[in-house]
Amino acid sequence: MTVLSENATDGEIRLVGSNFTFEGRVEIYHNKEWGTICDDGWGVEETNVVCHQLGYMNGAQYWYGNAKFKKGHGKIWLDDVSCYGNESALIECLNIGWNGHNCRHYEDVGVVCQPKGECTSLSIMSK
Ligand code: CA
Ligand code: CA
Protein backbone atom coordinates (compact mmCIF):
# COMPACT_ATOMS: atom_id res chain seq x y z
CA MET A 1 0.00 0.00 0.00
CA THR A 2 1.32 3.41 -0.91
CA VAL A 3 0.89 6.09 1.71
CA LEU A 4 1.14 9.61 0.41
CA SER A 5 3.17 11.82 2.67
CA GLU A 6 1.18 14.96 1.82
CA ASN A 7 4.16 16.94 3.05
CA ALA A 8 3.19 16.30 6.66
CA THR A 9 5.89 16.33 9.27
CA ASP A 10 6.32 13.91 12.12
CA GLY A 11 4.04 14.75 15.02
CA GLU A 12 1.68 16.85 12.92
CA ILE A 13 -1.98 16.73 13.94
CA ARG A 14 -5.17 16.84 11.90
CA LEU A 15 -8.89 16.56 12.68
CA VAL A 16 -11.02 14.42 10.38
CA GLY A 17 -14.52 13.00 10.22
CA SER A 18 -16.53 16.20 10.63
CA ASN A 19 -17.92 18.87 8.35
CA PHE A 20 -16.35 21.47 10.65
CA THR A 21 -12.63 22.14 10.70
CA PHE A 22 -12.50 22.81 14.43
CA GLU A 23 -13.60 19.33 15.45
CA GLY A 24 -12.99 15.75 14.50
CA ARG A 25 -11.10 12.56 15.10
CA VAL A 26 -7.56 13.34 16.17
CA GLU A 27 -4.94 11.91 13.84
CA ILE A 28 -1.20 12.25 14.22
CA TYR A 29 1.46 11.78 11.57
CA HIS A 30 4.40 9.53 12.28
CA ASN A 31 6.75 7.44 10.18
CA LYS A 32 4.97 8.58 6.97
CA GLU A 33 1.56 7.39 8.19
CA TRP A 34 -1.46 9.08 9.70
CA GLY A 35 -2.78 7.21 12.72
CA THR A 36 -5.33 7.71 15.46
CA ILE A 37 -5.13 8.21 19.21
CA CYS A 38 -6.80 6.05 21.84
CA ASP A 39 -9.27 7.63 24.24
CA ASP A 40 -7.74 6.02 27.36
CA GLY A 41 -6.98 8.71 29.92
CA TRP A 42 -7.87 11.52 27.51
CA GLY A 43 -9.22 14.75 28.94
CA VAL A 44 -9.28 18.50 28.81
CA GLU A 45 -5.51 19.00 29.10
CA GLU A 46 -4.84 16.78 26.11
CA THR A 47 -7.62 18.44 24.14
CA ASN A 48 -6.17 21.86 24.90
CA VAL A 49 -2.78 20.81 23.58
CA VAL A 50 -4.30 19.46 20.36
CA CYS A 51 -6.34 22.63 19.83
CA HIS A 52 -3.39 24.93 20.55
CA GLN A 53 -1.15 22.92 18.22
CA LEU A 54 -3.74 23.45 15.47
CA GLY A 55 -3.87 27.18 16.12
CA TYR A 56 -7.12 27.31 18.08
CA MET A 57 -5.78 29.56 20.75
CA ASN A 58 -8.94 29.44 22.84
CA GLY A 59 -8.34 25.77 23.33
CA ALA A 60 -10.76 23.00 24.05
CA GLN A 61 -14.50 23.05 23.86
CA TYR A 62 -15.13 19.34 24.38
CA TRP A 63 -13.79 15.90 23.63
CA TYR A 64 -15.21 12.49 22.87
CA GLY A 65 -14.03 8.93 23.16
CA ASN A 66 -15.37 5.87 21.42
CA ALA A 67 -14.88 7.03 17.84
CA LYS A 68 -17.51 9.76 17.93
CA PHE A 69 -16.09 11.03 14.62
CA LYS A 70 -16.01 7.53 13.10
CA LYS A 71 -13.32 4.93 13.40
CA GLY A 72 -9.96 5.62 11.83
CA HIS A 73 -7.86 3.20 9.83
CA GLY A 74 -4.37 1.88 10.10
CA LYS A 75 -2.20 2.61 13.06
CA ILE A 76 -3.32 3.63 16.53
CA TRP A 77 -0.22 5.70 17.14
CA LEU A 78 -0.73 6.89 20.69
CA ASP A 79 -2.41 5.70 23.88
CA ASP A 80 -2.52 6.84 27.50
CA VAL A 81 -1.47 10.36 26.50
CA SER A 82 -1.01 12.61 29.51
CA CYS A 83 -0.38 16.34 29.13
CA TYR A 84 -0.03 19.17 31.59
CA GLY A 85 -1.94 21.32 29.12
CA ASN A 86 0.70 23.91 28.27
CA GLU A 87 2.73 21.80 25.82
CA SER A 88 3.03 23.24 22.33
CA ALA A 89 2.64 19.86 20.64
CA LEU A 90 0.99 16.59 21.55
CA ILE A 91 4.19 14.60 21.12
CA GLU A 92 5.67 16.54 24.06
CA CYS A 93 3.13 14.86 26.33
CA LEU A 94 3.73 11.63 28.16
CA ASN A 95 2.57 8.50 26.36
CA ILE A 96 3.54 4.86 26.16
CA GLY A 97 5.30 5.11 22.83
CA TRP A 98 4.43 5.04 19.16
CA ASN A 99 2.10 2.16 18.33
CA GLY A 100 2.10 1.00 21.95
CA HIS A 101 -1.52 0.56 22.97
CA ASN A 102 -4.23 -1.81 24.11
CA CYS A 103 -6.98 -0.21 22.02
CA ARG A 104 -9.15 -0.74 18.99
CA HIS A 105 -10.35 1.87 16.53
CA TYR A 106 -13.73 2.12 18.25
CA GLU A 107 -11.79 3.95 20.99
CA ASP A 108 -10.41 6.67 18.69
CA VAL A 109 -10.48 10.02 20.40
CA GLY A 110 -12.14 13.13 18.97
CA VAL A 111 -11.99 16.76 20.02
CA VAL A 112 -13.94 19.97 19.57
CA CYS A 113 -11.88 23.15 19.68
CA GLN A 114 -13.19 26.65 20.31
CA PRO A 115 -13.63 27.97 16.78
CA LYS A 116 -11.25 30.70 15.72
CA GLY A 117 -12.41 34.24 16.19
CA GLU A 118 -14.77 33.47 19.02
CA CYS A 119 -13.99 35.12 22.30
CA THR A 120 -15.76 32.59 24.43
CA SER A 121 -14.54 31.77 27.86
CA LEU A 122 -12.41 28.78 28.65
CA SER A 123 -15.01 27.16 30.82
CA ILE A 124 -14.99 23.48 30.07
CA MET A 125 -17.94 21.20 30.34
CA SER A 126 -17.03 18.29 32.53
CA LYS A 127 -18.19 14.81 31.72
CA1 CA B 1 -10.85 3.33 26.06
CA1 CA C 1 -4.48 2.14 27.12
Side-chain angles (χ1 to χ4, degrees):
M1 190 176 89
T2 305
V3 179
L4 299 177
S5 76
E6 301 167 7
N7 294 322
T9 56
D10 225 76
E12 197 171 317
I13 293 276
R14 69 180 181 183
L15 303 181
V16 297
S18 169
N19 291 328
F20 298 103
T21 54
F22 57 85
E23 67 175 20
R25 181 176 69 248
V26 183
E27 294 196 351
I28 190 163
Y29 193 77
H30 175 64
N31 200 20
K32 298 185 168 60
E33 273 184 71
W34 287 101
T36 63
I37 298 176
C38 183
D39 61 11
D40 291 354
W42 191 271
V44 62
E45 296 88 357
E46 292 74 28
T47 306
N48 269 325
V49 172
V50 164
C51 292
H52 290 157
Q53 184 174 347
L54 290 168
Y56 296 99
M57 298 323 291
N58 290 327
Q61 184 171 157
Y62 205 66
W63 66 94
Y64 296 96
N66 300 320
K68 164 84 172 177
F69 297 100
K70 305 189 190 81
K71 291 191 256 185
H73 309 278
K75 292 281 199 298
I76 299 170
W77 273 136
L78 296 177
D79 180 23
D80 297 334
V81 181
S82 181
C83 307
Y84 291 103
N86 58 358
E87 294 88 345
S88 56
L90 195 68
I91 48 170
E92 294 172 18
C93 301
L94 279 174
N95 63 77
I96 57 177
W98 296 110
N99 208 27
H101 64 83
N102 58 350
C103 303
R104 307 291 293 268
H105 276 300
Y106 59 74
E107 295 173 86
D108 288 345
V109 81
V111 302
V112 184
C113 300
Q114 301 270 0
K116 287 172 180 167
E118 273 189 27
C119 293
T120 48
S121 79
L122 271 176
S123 63
I124 301 299
M125 294 170 279
S126 57
K127 273 187 165 176

